[in-house]
Amino acid sequence: MRTPIGIIGAGPAGLFLSHLLHRQGIDSVILERRDRSYCERRQRAGVVEHGVAEALRASGVGARMDREGFVHNGIELRFDGQAHRIDFPDLTGRNVMIYAQTEIVKDLIAQRIADGGQILFEAEATAIEDIETDHPRVRFTHAGREDILECAYVVACDGFHGVGRSSLPADVIQTFEKVYPFSWLGILADVAPSCDELIYAHSERGFALHSMRSESVSRLYLQVPTGTDPKDWSDARIWAELSARFRLRGGDWELQQGPITDTSVTPMRSFVTEPMRHGRLFLAGDAAHIVPPTGAKGLNLAMHDVMLLAEALAAWRATGDTKLLDDYSATALRRVWRAEHFSYWMTSLLHTDPDGTGFDYRLQLSYLEHIAASQAAAAQLAENYTGIPQI
Ligand code: FAS
Ligand code: PHB
């Protein structure tokens, strides 16, 4: 098989890149090791930054997001039994969309198929070769056969556990990592959200987040110790813990409960690979970087990477000019490190150490009270959360 751009992974990064390239008249082939149903069902992110929502609309795949998603003009911080709203438009002139990553993946797969795009599902990339030549290739297995995809460029959008990152020469890359001593236990529940906007709750018992997927489906998360087995958490225990962590003084707010339909535990890590390119192999999305989901940046970073890469590949295809391709890694990493810091900052601000001395807990409370009192401090959070346009 031969294609100008070989893409590994049909997650949001690989799919959006293929879609953007198609709009520039550039062919690509996506190799995806899982089947379509798995890719469309995998519970992941829920917040779409202002700029990413705009890019989805501008490229013709934002209609269902605008019909079925929610425009959110703020979030609520809960701490010390009180609530404080961060008003995004007032502080930044921007907002965010709540529209699940599963739905973005469905929309992009449907659009690629409608446009005649080539997505090979259940096709696992096993090796990426000759990346220091002008004819790199991807070995893959599909339908029980070994095959080779000959390309001009390869873009690994294959997530944290893919083959892309490990195909960069070890003496070329540098990785940076921070592992947190806690994870998130996430649930989907068939119950209407108990709030109109997301609630990020700081409490002595640990962090909790109330998000949503629709008017009848809630998405909630609990900070739990690393290594937590979801089987140790009954529905009753989950709801009791969530209620305790969202509690407000005066008690005039109640968390609505309902049947839990999905439970998962996600470890928390910060991770960055530098550079995000070597020779004719590029990394994009989780293949290159991971953020703790507290800042809702993972999906959005992946989309920004491929927006940059699509523009660079279009310039190369039109004129042979590779300057934007040569600048890709440095340009992408500026946004990556900004998102890494914001995600680390939100995580450190809101997650508590139940066995802690209380010193860190009081520092967190002091900062949260400062954000509630200072427009400048609130603006810093709002700017990063809604997505900084130019970095
Ligand atoms: P993805 O991991 O989404 O996609 C990679 C694709 O490559 C997968 O389909 C995989 O099957 C495929 N692949 C891997 N190896 C392959 C191979 N060898 N050959 C072919 N295909 C291969 N972000 C948020 O903003 N908010 C959240 O709440 C949030 N929750 C998350 C929960 C979990 C459990 C995880 C793991 C991540 C979460 N994230 C969240 C981050 C997540 O949304 C990612 O940032 C986003 O999926 C990144 O998209 P991609 O880079 O496309 O990678
Ligand atoms: C989600 O809706 O899944 C979600 C929202 C905000 C976050 C993380 C996850 O920070």
Side-chain angles (χ1 to χ4, degrees):
M1 285 182 73
R2 180 179 296 277
T3 183
I5 312 299
I7 298 172
I8 306 174
L15 290 164
F16 197 37
L17 175 60
S18 183
H19 172 64
L20 292 174
L21 290 174
H22 168 73
R23 289 175 60 85
Q24 299 274 0
I26 301 174
D27 286 339
S28 61
V29 170
I30 300 177
L31 302 175
E32 167 52 52
R33 72 176 168 194
R34 299 284 191 153
D35 64 24
R36 176 175 179 178
S37 165
Y38 177 89
C39 294
E40 293 183 342
R41 283 184 295 106
R42 189 173 39 194
Q43 287 304 320
R44 288 277 180 86
V47 174
V48 184
E49 279 179 8
H50 191 96
V52 174
E54 289 294 290
L56 289 168
R57 293 185 187 104
S59 66
V61 286
R64 192 162 75 96
M65 173 185 69
D66 286 332
R67 277 200 315 275
E68 300 177 16
F70 301 93
V71 174
H72 275 205
N73 289 311
I75 58 172
E76 181 182 298
L77 298 177
R78 266 191 200 178
F79 55 92
D80 197 23
Q82 54 186 326
H84 176 76
R85 182 169 184 268
I86 302 288
D87 185 321
F88 292 154
D90 181 42
L91 292 162
T92 69
R94 299 192 294 270
N95 53 36
V96 296
M97 290 296 294
I98 300 299
Y99 189 61
Q101 177 174 318
T102 50
E103 305 318 297
I104 294 174
V105 166
K106 287 174 192 167
D107 295 343
L108 285 169
I109 289 175
Q111 191 63 54
R112 289 305 299 123
I113 291 172
D115 291 341
Q118 281 190 284
I119 308 175
L120 291 188
F121 288 104
E122 298 180 275
E124 176 155 15
T126 51
I128 306 171
E129 300 171 346
D130 301 331
I131 62 175
E132 293 173 351
T133 72
D134 62 0
H135 50 274
R137 56 191 189 168
V138 183
R139 286 186 186 278
F140 66 98
T141 56
H142 184 234
R145 285 182 50 238
E146 290 277 323
D147 209 333
I148 290 178
L149 182 63
E150 309 275 357
C151 323
Y153 285 98
V154 178
V155 185
C157 302
D158 52 355
F160 190 65
H161 303 290
V163 294
R165 188 169 63 254
S166 59
S167 299
L168 295 175
D171 61 346
V172 163
I173 66 167
Q174 206 178 349
T175 60
F176 304 84
E177 184 169 29
K178 177 178 182 57
V179 178
Y180 300 83
F182 39 76
S183 298
W184 277 15
L185 184 148
I187 65 167
L188 267 184
D190 283 343
V191 61
S194 304
C195 48
D196 296 329
E197 295 174 332
L198 273 57
I199 303 173
Y200 287 78
H202 170 271
S203 84
E204 284 182 306
R205 302 172 69 96
F207 170 76
L209 170 61
H210 192 324
S211 184
M212 67 267 308
R213 290 293 179 266
S214 70
E215 285 161 1
S216 59
V217 177
S218 293
R219 176 76 165 153
L220 297 109
Y221 298 94
L222 273 174
Q223 171 192 343
V224 292
T226 295
T228 290
D229 182 342
K231 290 197 288 291
D232 294 341
W233 283 78
S234 66
D235 291 8
R237 183 184 177 195
I238 291 171
W239 287 119
E241 192 58 35
L242 284 166
S243 298
R245 297 187 188 187
F246 287 119
R247 188 155 292 124
L248 282 177
R249 276 191 219 136
D252 58 351
W253 181 88
E254 189 180 352
L255 178 64
Q256 300 307 308
Q257 306 184 10
I260 294 176
T261 57
D262 182 89
T263 305
S264 61
V265 173
T266 304
M268 306 278 270
R269 85 173 72 229
S270 301
F271 187 91
V272 180
T273 308
E274 290 186 4
M276 291 170 55
R277 178 260 180 115
H278 181 70
R280 294 267 175 144
L281 172 58
F282 289 85
L283 304 183
D286 278 17
H289 41 70
I290 297 286
V291 286
T294 325
K297 289 296 149 203
L299 164 66
N300 293 291
L301 265 186
M303 304 299 262
H304 279 291
D305 286 350
V306 297
M307 287 151 67
L308 210 51
L309 206 38
E311 185 188 357
L313 288 166
W316 158 74
R317 190 71 171 181
T319 66
D321 179 2
T322 62
K323 182 174 183 325
L324 289 179
L325 285 173
D326 298 340
D327 292 348
Y328 163 74
S329 181
T331 306
L333 283 166
R334 277 198 296 276
R335 178 178 296 278
V336 167
W337 280 111
R338 173 84 311 272
E340 290 285 348
H341 174 266
F342 177 64
S343 304
Y344 160 79
W345 178 80
M346 281 284 276
T347 299
S348 307
L349 176 66
L350 291 163
H351 290 71
T352 50
D353 174 359
D355 306 323
T357 63
F359 177 78
D360 290 340
Y361 183 78
R362 282 160 182 74
L363 284 185
Q364 290 170 331
L365 276 185
S366 167
Y367 208 136
L368 287 161
E369 285 161 2
H370 176 56
I371 291 168
S374 157
Q375 187 165 18
Q380 188 223 1
L381 191 159
E383 265 187 1
N384 282 278
Y385 194 94
T386 56
I388 298 175
Q390 296 308 327
I391 291 183

